Amino acid sequence: MATGELSTEQRLLSSLYRRLDRERAAAKAELAAALLDPDEQRWHREVAVRTLSEQVGRLTVADEGLCFGRTDHADGSRTYIGRIGLYDPEDDYRPALTDWRAPIARPFYTATGAHPEGLTRRRHFRTRGRRLESFHDDELELGGTLLEALDAPRGETMRDIVATIQAEQDEIIRLDHRGVLVVEGGPGTGKTAVALHRVAYLLYTQRERLSRQGVLVVGPNPGFLRYIGDVLPSLGETDVVFATPGELFPGIRTTLEDTPEVQGLKGGLAAVDLLREAISDRQELPENPMPVELEDVTVHVDASAALAARDKARASGLLHNEARQVFHDTLADVLVRRATALIGEDWPELAADVRRDLDDNPDLRKAVDALWPTLTARRLLADLYEGRCFALGYPELYRSNGRAWTVSDVPLLDEAAELLGTSGDAEREAERERAEEVSYAQGVLEVIDTDAEMYSEELRAVDLVNAEWLADRHTFRDHRTVAERAAADREWTYGHVVVDEAQELSEMEWRVLMRRSPNRSMTIVGDLAQRQAEAGVRSWGSLLSPYVRDRWVHRRLSVNYRTPAAVMEYAASALAELDPSAVLPTSVRSGESPVEMVVEDLAVVSRLCASSGTFAVIGYEGGLTPAAAKGLEFDTVVVVEPERMTAAERYVALTRATQRLVVVRLKR
């Protein structure tokens, strides 16, 4: 590598960083001005604040690894490839740096020696901070840059793969399909990374639509989401909500699991009928007449009056909470007739007076609360679990603390909310929105105040305003980011939904996700061979056909970039037990042979294996469970007593290592 050429590329990189700094400073200045402009119309100000906040965020995260490569074209031109696009205003706004998602950047990932796609050379940059340390010119085939990345130690979070995307992966990332895309592949094939980069690509090519609706990414557990959480922000994308199945109902965050028996009961579609039964059970008839005292007479809500009101409310076709008013009004009509009959008068003014008395009568309100209560999803399920389940014939659902929510409860809560309808509690909703406004305003102030040195000699926005003042001045829910609004709104529908480890989700969980994606634009990532949940997916076609018919496509990743061949061969017996016809993905590295040992104390193994890189113990004798390890990777993995695991659990545990696998049996 010529020193002069390295210096030339460093100067180019430095100029790109200067341009990035100027654009970021300008965006922050515009954001501060928009926040403090007293003359701008509120709606325009809100749009400007949101747009500029997102722009500042994209320009900030682009700082790390801004430019990672170059393509030299047969016509003599060059294209520099990076995380975002930057333009040169002094050269008719020609691209100085091309976004990796742009069509012209695609040959950087797909060109090969056999199919160069108009390229004469592809150059990969290796940078540290803002400094170019070296570059590598490859021969347009699998080689140095990818293998160097694969051999590098793993960190605590997933790295993006924009510098090393391979043709097989790129085809899926850029696939022009508006329906459901299923990406299937064995361990280490890059399913998750491909799905996340597809999200970034879609946000780039369909920004106007997706920036309004956002993207939902569902992963199997909080550890997995922490692991992948930096990938999209590092690519400049923030309009994304990350959630586990235990977080798909606003206000609930749970990792508690039911027993397999109860998971099966709650996960099947029969749970919908169970919820309907539970709601009908709350539409009651009084065991004894309930007195309602009026000014001149006392009338009673008895079983016949309540039955007439219940029949009419149910016949209205309204949801439970919305039909409550029909129940109240019908009951009031019955009581008006009874009251006028007891008084012995029958003239219109008397009936109107009695009706007015009933409309605000505490006894009638008490009766309606008892016979047709306003229900929330949480109250319905808590009451069901704490005792009503016995009368309905589901004793296995009983638990003393009905609100100790499990992951399997989340889709039931969502389904119950659909069946119950709104309760119209406007005051509580307003308080919640106010708290969210203040939180959003504080976040905006922090965004424009991140570079303390830049403003050390100047008057800053935070010196003039605080979050409360800003929230009061801009009282619009839309001040929150798309991701913040979407996460707080159960009825929010997303422009695109990504589901990782999709084979684990139950039928009820899929109902939740399909409600979140009425346009059925989804990327589903999974491996049926790794299914652990009894209520999980057994066939993609059986899962998707009821929702999308034939509007889905399947793509398979066949190359294992993570797990060495020696480790995969060791795991082959577990895969054969799951599916004798299954074929292992092809590993690009041979790797070290797994080590087996018998020990008295796991601490000995930990000291031996944790000397370098990331490290994990997977098993039921401490460490991660196989379920918690799904989707994760570590340089060294110790699997403890794999014989205690199911075949699916064993297959997952044995395929998490990128370098070394140690299999341990404990001496009894």
Side-chain angles (χ1 to χ4, degrees), residues 594-607:
V595 175
E596 296 184 336
M597 59 177 65
V598 178
V599 300
E600 294 182 353
D601 185 355
L602 285 177
V604 176
V605 181
S606 298
R607 287 194 295 271

Side-chain angles (χ1 to χ4, degrees), residues 255-369:
T255 58
L256 296 175
E257 296 284 359
D258 286 303
T259 64
E261 178 190 13
V262 175
Q263 284 181 15
L265 175 59
K266 293 180 179 179
L269 294 181
V272 178
D273 293 330
L274 167 61
L275 291 173
R276 291 196 177 104
E277 289 182 57
I279 293 171
S280 295
D281 185 53
R282 305 308 299 274
Q283 299 165 357
E284 301 185 54
L285 303 178
E287 294 183 3
N288 300 302
M290 306 173 72
V292 177
E293 293 189 10
L294 301 173
E295 184 175 347
D296 299 314
V297 68
T298 297
V299 290
H300 291 82
V301 175
D302 55 18
S304 64
L307 179 61
R310 186 175 74 176
D311 288 347
K312 190 166 184 180
R314 287 178 174 176
S316 70
L318 297 173
L319 300 176
H320 173 86
N321 287 330
E322 295 156 6
R324 173 184 161 97
Q325 189 63 47
V326 177
F327 181 83
H328 173 280
D329 292 346
T330 305
L331 201 56
D333 290 342
V334 172
L335 296 182
V336 165
R337 292 194 294 271
R338 291 183 176 181
T340 56
L342 288 172
I343 294 171
E345 301 285 346
D346 187 15
W347 37 282
E349 290 79 2
L350 175 61
D353 287 343
V354 172
R355 182 55 190 261
R356 278 193 295 272
D357 192 0
L358 284 169
D359 283 342
D360 196 32
N361 187 282
D363 291 337
L364 178 57
R365 190 163 56 245
K366 181 179 178 181
V368 172
D369 286 342

